[in-house]
Amino acid sequence: MGSYRDRMTTDATPPANLASMPRVEFAFPGPLRDQLVAAILNGSKTSTTELLVDYEHEGEPLPKVGSRSVVIDSDDRPVAVIEITGVRVVPLAQVDLAHVVDEGEGDTSVAEWRAGHERFWHSEEMRAALEDPEFTVDDTTLAVLKRFRIITDLRLAD
């Protein structure tokens, strides 16, 4: 695999259809989103994990390879355009270390990654978003593992 710079375009021109592109928000606004967006922008985060139940609750289809979306920061500003390069749905027990490392959050084991993600998925904010105050995950909970690459860093367009 090439370096991050090999996979990222240097084009700072926002796509003409930026306003019509779907938005993608990593976590909820605040420190965690800030950390995740920074990792996307510096190239250390090239994968993410969502729960299938979240897509079902929102009535949204799973993303397709090649689809593009605008990354939104905690201040509701568009900061990058990403393109989906891979999507797979697996039980949480089958999330592999390569995916964990590519999430760019510094986890060095699947167990460490899982503990951090469970704290998020079991948070009041997530339970409120799912409208289920008792929501929990287990080994059989289906996760949507997405891989992506940066197409445009919108900060360069300012």
Side-chain angles (χ1 to χ4, degrees):
M1 182 184 295
S3 73
Y4 166 70
R5 292 280 170 216
D6 293 338
R7 295 188 307 269
M8 181 179 158
T9 67
T10 55
D11 182 11
T13 306
N17 60 345
L18 187 64
S20 66
M21 294 178 84
R23 296 164 42 115
V24 61
E25 299 174 345
F26 289 80
F28 297 102
L32 179 57
R33 179 177 293 174
D34 295 341
Q35 173 192 342
L36 298 176
V37 168
I40 291 166
L41 294 171
N42 74 25
S44 61
K45 182 172 184 64
T46 58
S47 72
T48 195
T49 306
E50 297 170 325
L51 298 178
L52 184 61
V53 67
D54 199 13
Y55 283 92
E56 293 169 344
H57 180 265
E58 296 297 321
E60 294 179 8
L62 292 179
K64 296 191 181 322
V65 171
S67 64
R68 294 182 176 186
S69 53
V70 180
V71 176
I72 303 300
D73 70 8
S74 287
D75 295 320
D76 204 37
R77 291 181 307 222
V79 294
V81 175
I82 60 172
E83 179 180 75
I84 299 297
T85 60
V87 178
R88 43 185 192 125
V89 178
V90 301
L92 278 177
Q94 293 180 16
V95 174
D96 56 84
L97 184 58
H99 179 81
V100 166
V101 170
D102 288 346
E103 282 210 5
E105 297 174 37
D107 295 319
T108 57
S109 72
V110 174
E112 180 183 20
W113 168 88
R114 174 91 175 250
H117 279 67
E118 283 192 17
R119 280 191 297 278
F120 175 76
W121 291 325
H122 295 160
S123 70
E124 280 187 40
E125 289 174 306
M126 187 66 178
R127 287 175 171 166
L130 293 173
E131 301 177 66
D132 182 353
E134 304 295 318
F135 179 76
T136 60
V137 298
D138 61 30
D139 284 349
T140 65
T141 302
L142 293 177
V144 180
L145 309 185
K146 299 189 320 188
R147 293 193 168 279
F148 57 86
R149 65 185 183 112
I150 292 182
I151 298 298
T152 305
D153 183 338
L154 297 172
R155 299 170 307 161
L156 301 175
D158 291 338

